Amino acid sequence: MEVADRHAAVTALASSLADYAISQDPTHLTYPVWRDPDVLDTWFSSGLWPIGTLGWPEQTPELAKYFPTSTPDHRGRYHLLLGRPHDDDAACRGG
């Protein structure tokens, strides 16, 4: 069930749990969700993390350790595309 905000989610979940406590019927449980207005900012900020904290564009030991580009996983591919587009040896180019 989608609700307007966190407060509405807490209220809906509390109501659902109260109903479940009486009925013991798990089909009456609801799991409210809401849209976070800062999602875009969160994704953008996470892409800036290596640039702002690991010494990029210099090839620092910290950058190599915490932001490797040789064996990316699903998170690494996202960060490669966002954070290392100007790196000549980025793994997404086979380098």
Side-chain angles (χ1 to χ4, degrees), residues 6-49:
R6 185 178 187 280
H7 178 71
V10 169
T11 302
L13 182 60
S15 175
S16 173
L17 291 173
D19 180 51
Y20 174 73
I22 295 167
S23 70
Q24 295 294 299
D25 183 354
T27 63
H28 291 185
L29 288 171
T30 58
Y31 301 96
V33 296
W34 69 96
R35 295 182 189 267
D36 185 343
D38 291 329
V39 169
L40 180 61
D41 182 52
T42 301
W43 280 92
F44 181 72
S45 297
S46 68
L48 293 177
W49 172 78

Side-chain angles (χ1 to χ4, degrees), residues 41-94:
D41 182 52
T42 301
W43 280 92
F44 181 72
S45 297
S46 68
L48 293 177
W49 172 78
I51 294 170
T53 62
L54 302 175
W56 186 88
E58 303 301 321
Q59 295 299 317
T60 64
E62 293 82 8
L63 191 62
K65 180 177 180 180
Y66 297 110
F67 197 69
T69 58
S70 59
T71 55
D73 60 4
H74 67 283
R75 292 177 322 239
R77 288 185 188 111
Y78 164 76
H79 287 288
L80 268 173
L81 292 173
L82 189 60
R84 301 283 296 268
H86 307 293
D87 192 353
D88 289 337
D89 65 348
C92 61
R93 288 194 273 266

